[in-house]
Amino acid sequence: MRLSSPAPPSATPSSGPHQALQDAALRAAALLALCSLVLLALVEASWQPLMALDGEIARTTHRWAVREDGVTAVARILTDWFWDPITLRALTVAVAVGLVWRGAQWWPALWLVATVAFAAVLQQVLKAAVDRARPVWSDPVDDARFAAFPSGHAMTATVCCGLLLWVVRRQGVGPRRWRAAVAVAVVSVVGVGLTRVWLGVHWLSDVVGGWLLGSLVVAVAVAVFAGVPRLREAGKRPAADAGPGLRSRT
């Protein structure tokens, strides 16, 4: 009597790394959500130490902005043109179009556009709900619309730069290009926040809130990306997948 050997278990070699990435992204999202809620509660309660810090920083930077008109002019150009939410969203949509055009990556492109749209809606909902007044000056150097918290510029820059960094990483660029991309993203996210405070249109806690909420959106988006097979498979580099097979046939 011949005994048949047991069938080997089904192999899922890719589930481990993707699950680990999703778990890490969810842990980061939980921490960012907690920090965002704490800051939101302090702003809503007008916690005096935070209000005093915001006021002192705002008064100091406004004096500098009035005195250093050259720096202020540069800050306005950067925040109104290069780091404006419309510019950054348009750039992200252009990258999504490029993913479809060059690699038929419909799912990652949809993920990009949907995440940016969700962040924009969330930002406006929070602004309306918190309804925080912006700083008011007798000699303003710039103006802005809508409520103050969170900073739309800071939140949009964090979301768009974070998503674009993820796309760049997934494309497998070299170390030099990766470091350059990270440097541009960091300068953009930090720089836009500083310009908003310098120009006197936001309190510092508005900017920090925008950074936290933007990072939260990116963390949740990465968790979704890692958890949806269609997204992560479509996001792979076609050349990397096809290369070994082509070489084996030749």
Side-chain angles (χ1 to χ4, degrees), residues 13-87:
S14 62
S15 61
H18 293 309
Q19 186 61 54
L21 174 62
Q22 186 180 36
D23 292 343
L26 289 175
R27 287 194 297 269
L31 178 60
L32 290 165
L34 177 61
C35 294
S36 300
L37 286 173
V38 169
L39 180 58
L40 177 59
L42 294 178
V43 170
E44 276 285 282
S46 299
W47 189 53
Q48 189 54 39
L50 179 62
M51 300 300 105
L53 178 63
D54 275 346
E56 182 61 30
I57 292 174
R59 287 188 293 271
T60 300
T61 53
H62 181 67
R63 286 197 301 269
W64 294 344
V66 172
R67 186 172 66 243
E68 304 292 339
D69 54 350
V71 177
T72 300
V74 172
R76 291 192 64 175
I77 292 172
L78 289 172
T79 196
D80 291 342
W81 294 96
F82 293 96
W83 295 331
D84 181 72
I86 295 177
T87 302

Side-chain angles (χ1 to χ4, degrees), residues 158-207:
T158 305
V159 170
C160 293
C161 289
L163 294 176
L164 293 179
L165 277 180
W166 177 254
V167 171
V168 169
R169 192 64 169 176
R170 293 284 298 178
Q171 297 303 308
V173 298
R176 184 175 300 177
R177 291 185 178 181
W178 171 248
R179 287 193 294 268
V182 170
V184 170
V186 170
V187 169
S188 298
V189 171
V190 175
V192 73
L194 296 180
T195 61
R196 303 310 284 169
V197 177
W198 179 273
L199 294 172
V201 293
H202 275 295
W203 311 103
L204 178 61
S205 55
D206 300 335
V207 171

Side-chain angles (χ1 to χ4, degrees), residues 101-188:
W101 181 263
R102 296 184 60 186
Q105 298 182 32
W106 288 96
W107 282 99
L110 180 62
W111 170 81
L112 269 178
V113 174
T115 304
V116 170
F118 171 77
V121 172
L122 176 63
Q123 164 197 312
Q124 292 302 322
V125 168
L126 288 173
K127 281 180 176 291
V130 177
D131 196 25
R132 188 185 195 187
R134 294 179 183 268
V136 178
W137 312 106
S138 59
D139 51 348
V141 297
D142 201 359
D143 57 5
R145 297 180 300 164
F146 307 117
F149 187 92
S151 166
H153 280 68
M155 183 173 175
T156 303
T158 305
V159 170
C160 293
C161 289
L163 294 176
L164 293 179
L165 277 180
W166 177 254
V167 171
V168 169
R169 192 64 169 176
R170 293 284 298 178
Q171 297 303 308
V173 298
R176 184 175 300 177
R177 291 185 178 181
W178 171 248
R179 287 193 294 268
V182 170
V184 170
V186 170
V187 169
S188 298

Side-chain angles (χ1 to χ4, degrees), residues 236-250:
K236 290 181 179 178
R237 295 176 66 195
D241 293 340
L246 290 175
R247 284 194 295 268
S248 64
R249 285 194 291 270
T250 58

